[in-house]
Amino acid sequence: MGNVSYYIFVLVAIIVAFLVIKKVASCLIKSAVLIVLMVLLAAIYYLYLR
């Protein structure tokens, strides 16, 4: 069950990030948001699945 909730969280995070990036015009800010999201997902992955 833990894996299912993790994948649901990742899916929600990707959808939210997509909506935020869609509303932002600057390429630099898009890149920064994407990098922050990747770091957060990596941290969550290692905290929950190590």
Side-chain angles (χ1 to χ4, degrees), residues 20-37:
V20 168
I21 289 170
K22 230 173 99 171
K23 291 183 181 288
V24 174
S26 171
C27 241
L28 183 61
I29 296 176
K30 286 182 189 179
S31 299
V33 168
L34 187 62
I35 291 170
V36 168
L37 179 68

Side-chain angles (χ1 to χ4, degrees), residues 42-50:
I44 290 166
Y45 175 80
Y46 286 114
L47 287 175
Y48 280 101
L49 299 177
R50 66 180 163 147

Side-chain angles (χ1 to χ4, degrees), residues 1-3 8 10-12 16 22-23 33 35 40 46 48:
M1 268 317 205
N3 285 345
I8 291 172
V10 170
L11 184 63
V12 170
V16 169
K22 230 173 99 171
K23 291 183 181 288
V33 168
I35 291 170
L40 286 174
Y46 286 114
Y48 280 101

